[in-house]
Every structure is written in structure tokens, then in C-alpha cells.
Amino acid sequence: MPSQNVLVTGAAGFLGSHLCDALLAEGHIVLGVDNLSTGNTANLDHLSSEPRFRFLEQDITRPFDPGEVDYVFNFASPASPVDYSRLGIETLRVGSAGTLNTLDIAHKYKAGYLHASTSECYGDPEVHPQVETYWGNVNPIGPRSVYDEAKRFSEAAVMAYYRYHNVNTHMVRIFNTYGPRLQANDGRVISNFMIQALNEEPLTIYGDGSQTRSFCYVSDLIDGIVRLSRSDEHAPVNIGNPDEWTILECAQEVLAVTGSSSEIVRKPLPQDDPTRRRPDITRARTLLGWDPKIPLREGLERSLEYFRSTLVVAR
Ligand code: UDP
């Protein structure tokens, strides 16, 4: 495909930075935007001498004009439960004003648009595995609502710009993803367990560990997202790995991969913590010819070196 001018918001984040890498590898010119509230410029350090990459520190909740762009990827938002709880109002703002501002950019320049949505739109799901046609079971006033409802508002905004302004929009519902650059201190299960295991500290299981998640390795996720961005699909598409694990099993995988002798301790389960989560990826398979390739064990092995390096920095 010919080289495009691409805007990536949330570029200094875990997924945003991997997306920038994938787009640059395809020959595109990338403007990465981030206000660094949860992003980290270290995720972009390796691009400092890349002439096709430029970074702009910018809060997307304020209107801005990046100049002519062919495509907008909207990946800006605090995303871990710890971060969006700490930054509740900012999360609501970026998922509302921020999304509208980036949609305005796509509208103005007749650019394509892909929005990073989330499995949190399904809340604590009564339908299992989650299909895109399920409307979800979200507590609109609970502690997770700042994230869940901001993301649900964003989906409504994206559909409106598609319907009313004919913007070429796409939406991915992202399920739990892990890999190098997952922020070491953002409290997510894989980063917590990997770091605890490498430090020979107890692994903290919230609740009884029977709740489930389905973990996708980052390169698989980015591959699915790039495919979706080129498709004709405007409705949401789940991208995630349908291999479902209890949190206890996940802890055991981490112990096996790290060779750690850490014990397991129990902590209280946070309010509204979804009891199960697993994507139905039939749509991604049929529409995009996409399937995740990397099983949890292999993805954790690939992430080991990164998590080790974060320990060195922390000390
Ligand atoms: N979790 C846990 N121990 C931790 C961190 C998380 O048991 O140290 C659990 C958490 O309660 C949830 C699951 O792991 O059930 C995934 O949590 P995470 O914060 O990674 O993301 P979520 O899928 O809840 O958005």
C-alpha cells in the first residue's frame, strides 16, 4: 500500500507504541501524539533517529490540528484499572472530548479512522464468550464506570461520525493484551505477576482466582488491528485470544516461565471485577482472516527479558 500520513494518539503507550512500529515498518509517515499522563517516552526512544516518525506532546481533549493526515488511530486513554481509577475525570474527558476531537480531524481531512475500544464495553458479561452483538452488563456508576462508559460513549461517537459525516470508521474491541512495554507499575495482572515472580515476592491473587481472562500477545493484536483498519467493516470487531485462563492458572504459568519459587497470596477482589472474559473471534476470523498465533506460555517467555529489564531500572 502507498505511504500514508498517519496520526496515532496514545503513541507513547503500550499498544500505541507497538502500533507506531508496525506502521513505520510498512513505510508510513507517523505522527505520534501523547500527553504522557500514562504513556512513557521510553517506549519511543528507539525511534529517535527514524526520519518518518515525529512525536508531539499534546492533550487530545483540547482541539488540535496535526495537518493533513490520511489515517487516524485513536489509542489515547488510561487503560489499566489502577490508572483509570487514579485518573477518573481525565479518562472520561479523553474518551469523550478526545474522541470527538480526533473524529473531527478525520472528518476534516477525509481520513480513515480506527478507534481502540475494549472488552470492558461488555462489563461483567452474561453472554459467554462475548460476541460483538452483545450490549453488555456495565455498572454505569461503579468504580470502573469512568473507563467503561467513556469507551461506550466513544463507540457511540464513532458510529455517529460514520452515519452522519460518512467518515470511514473502524472499531476494535480489545481484550486483555500483554507483552514488552506493558507498564511495569500499572497494576495489571500479567505485569504484577511477572515482576512479583522475578523478585521472588508473593503473587497477589485478587479474590479466589477463579475469575477468567483471555490473554493476547501484543504482536497478534497489532496484526489484527492493522487488518481491521484496511477493511470495509464499520461495526465493532473483537480482537483477542480466545484461550481462557483462570487467574490462578495464569499465576501458575508465570511461575513456570520465570522458574520462580514465589508463593501465592490472596487479596480482596476489587468491586465489579468481571468474573469471566473471553472473546468470540468469529467475525475477526471471517472478515479479516485473522487468528492469534502465540499461546500464553510462549508470549510470557517472549516478555521475560523486558520485565527483567524493568527491575534493573527500578533498582
Ligand atoms: N488481578 C489479580 N492480581 C493482581 C492484578 C490483577 O488477581 O495483582 C486480577 C484482577 O482482579 C482481574 C484480573 O486479574 O480479575 C485482570 O486484571 P487486570 O487489572 O489485568 O485487568 P482487567 O481485565 O480487570 O481490566
Side-chain angles (χ1 to χ4, degrees), residues 81 84 120 144 176 187-190 192-193 196 204-206 211 213 247 269-270 273-274 277:
Y84 63 68
E120 282 287 320
R144 296 175 91 103
N176 295 63
R188 270 188 254 231
V189 67
I190 298 272
N192 273 8
F193 285 178
Q196 289 161 347
T204 51
I205 290 201
Y206 302 161
Q211 72 272 36
R213 295 294 186 271
I247 294 304
L269 188 68
D273 197 283
R277 185 181 287 156

Side-chain angles (χ1 to χ4, degrees), residues 169-191:
T169 62
H170 309 278
M171 260 186 277
V172 54
R173 290 198 182 132
I174 297 171
F175 284 66
N176 295 63
T177 306
Y178 68 100
R181 301 185 203 155
L182 189 61
Q183 213 167 266
N185 60 354
D186 73 0
R188 270 188 254 231
V189 67
I190 298 272
S191 43

